[in-house]
Amino acid sequence: MCDRLRTRADLLRRVRSFFDARGVMEVCTPVLSRAAGTDPAIEPLRTRYTGPEHPRGLDLYLQTSPEFPMKRLLAAGSGPIYQIAQVFRDGEYGTRHNPEFSLLEWYRPGFDHHVLMDEVAALANACLQSSLPIEKIAYVDLFREHMGWHPLEADLSILEASAREQGLMVEGMASRDQWLDLFMSLVIEPRLGKQSLTFIYDYPASQASLARISLHDPALASRFELYHRGVELANGFHELADPVEQRQRFEQENLQRQERGQRQLPIDENFLAALETGLPDCAGVALGLDRLLMLKLNASCLDDVLSFSLKNA
């Protein structure tokens, strides 16, 4: 226990030293919000406040990421910022998941996702005290290499046949993205970053999340993920700054939630108002510190690096 506490403390010192040297300011934003991210793949934890201003109670959500308030700070002129945050996600527990975990998130005005990838690699090497080589692979090329077909053009019957060849369950797959997520998580991901920091970039536009659509190809989003030793460590975007398009995405995600039987979530109007005032051209990324620590300590699961996991919280 004491060794991993010291290693975590050293990791946090390295993170802060890294950003101090680069002139990136540390910030702190609220954990509770009246709104929540609408991504159907991420379920927030909800709580309720009761007090003089709200005697009947007010629903509040624990942050799944500090992204929205940090972008409000960017729109207000903060400049480059980072945050080490505790975040919360319902229904997530396993070897690489815990409902509460530590997330490092930062934003770089003037960067695109390609420039940010280099900084992410520098931080990861600094924290791991390594000099791992950097590998960058486009999402389309990744699937061609590992699966032998184009992820955006192959007929769904080809995807189903590939899944059966891999011995994967294929029932209930309603969309191309579900198929691609299946192959990514169960077939491709374990092979990534064996002896390198491997970045996958330019995801399908349908998986853009909060990234802008590529200027070079409208079928692609300006998004990347980082993998090392088969573990996803980071998710980054060249950030979407258009408030109209962002609202449309939120509304579409709430429709998807409704179709899947999930609770629709309140849209963050304060965040959209900040986009209206003007978000600087920037790139941002979220990196899982607990997973990074797990790799640093050669641990097999998150429980081995957390002070207290869900089992003994």
Side-chain angles (χ1 to χ4, degrees):
M1 169 70 85
C2 290
D3 286 344
R4 68 189 183 207
L5 288 177
R6 280 190 284 269
T7 304
R8 179 181 289 271
D10 177 70
L11 182 75
L12 295 177
R13 280 194 296 269
R14 290 178 184 277
V15 168
R16 290 190 165 101
S17 176
F18 180 89
F19 287 119
D20 284 349
R22 291 174 179 238
V24 182
M25 178 172 62
E26 184 172 11
V27 297
C28 182
T29 58
V31 171
L32 290 172
S33 174
R34 301 186 187 203
T38 52
D39 186 343
I42 299 176
E43 201 62 42
L45 285 164
R46 185 168 48 133
T47 188
R48 193 166 179 82
Y49 167 76
T50 304
E53 304 86 354
H54 298 279
R56 296 183 180 180
L58 174 68
D59 283 345
L60 295 170
Y61 297 88
L62 292 168
Q63 66 178 358
T64 59
S65 157
E67 180 166 4
F68 295 170
M70 289 185 76
K71 286 181 177 175
R72 289 169 64 183
L73 295 179
L74 287 163
S78 68
I81 53 176
Y82 79 96
Q83 182 169 184
I84 298 170
Q86 291 302 108
V87 299
F88 307 83
R89 298 182 183 182
D90 197 15
E92 296 194 5
Y93 183 71
T95 57
R96 298 178 185 175
H97 295 87
N98 196 66
E100 178 182 358
F101 60 98
S102 300
L103 193 68
L104 168 63
E105 193 150 331
W106 76 96
Y107 293 87
R108 288 298 232 144
F111 282 26
D112 65 10
H113 59 306
H114 291 286
V115 176
L116 186 57
M117 278 188 266
D118 293 332
E119 185 165 73
V120 173
L123 173 77
N125 269 323
C127 289
L128 293 172
Q129 296 173 266
S130 61
S131 55
L132 293 163
I134 302 169
E135 179 183 31
K136 297 179 181 179
I137 310 172
Y139 185 94
V140 167
D141 293 338
L142 180 76
F143 273 79
R144 281 173 166 163
E145 176 185 343
H146 289 273
M147 304 306 304
W149 36 258
H150 193 296
L152 307 184
E153 297 176 0
D155 190 86
L156 293 184
S157 63
I158 294 176
L159 276 61
E160 181 175 354
S162 291
R164 294 187 185 281
E165 289 173 6
Q166 298 283 342
L168 303 177
M169 297 290 292
V170 297
E171 288 77 17
M173 307 299 284
S175 70
R176 180 178 297 272
D177 280 332
Q178 286 181 309
W179 282 111
L180 297 181
D181 286 344
L182 177 76
F183 290 117
M184 188 69 180
S185 60
L186 298 182
V187 179
I188 300 175
E189 184 176 302
R191 305 172 182 174
L192 297 178
K194 293 296 185 182
Q195 295 180 324
S196 66
L197 297 171
T198 299
F199 291 89
I200 310 305
Y201 66 91
D202 288 355
Y203 276 65
S206 57
Q207 299 178 27
S209 188
L210 284 91
R212 62 179 63 190
I213 301 303
S214 171
L215 293 175
H216 308 292
D217 188 342
L220 303 176
S222 300
R223 173 186 172 189
F224 70 83
E225 291 188 355
L226 167 63
Y227 291 87
H228 180 49
R229 287 159 49 187
V231 177
E232 179 196 336
L233 287 175
N235 187 15
F237 309 137
H238 192 179
E239 301 293 345
L240 177 64
D242 183 343
V244 175
E245 183 178 349
Q246 186 62 78
R247 182 181 293 277
Q248 290 172 346
R249 291 192 193 180
F250 286 157
E251 291 172 348
Q252 182 60 38
E253 287 176 341
N254 260 334
L255 287 176
Q256 292 173 7
R257 283 181 158 274
Q258 186 177 36
E259 291 168 359
R260 298 180 185 186
Q262 295 171 265
R263 177 188 177 92
Q264 292 196 43
L265 296 171
I267 290 173
D268 194 330
E269 295 294 343
N270 290 323
F271 168 55
L272 291 174
L275 294 187
E276 289 279 0
T277 65
L279 182 72
D281 184 22
C282 65
V285 61
L287 185 149
L289 286 175
D290 300 319
R291 289 186 181 183
L292 190 64
L293 183 62
M294 185 178 78
L295 295 177
K296 187 176 177 69
L297 290 172
N298 293 312
S300 59
C301 67
L302 282 191
D303 281 3
D304 294 335
V305 303
L306 297 173
S307 301
F308 305 103
S309 69
L310 184 64
K311 291 179 181 178
N312 50 20

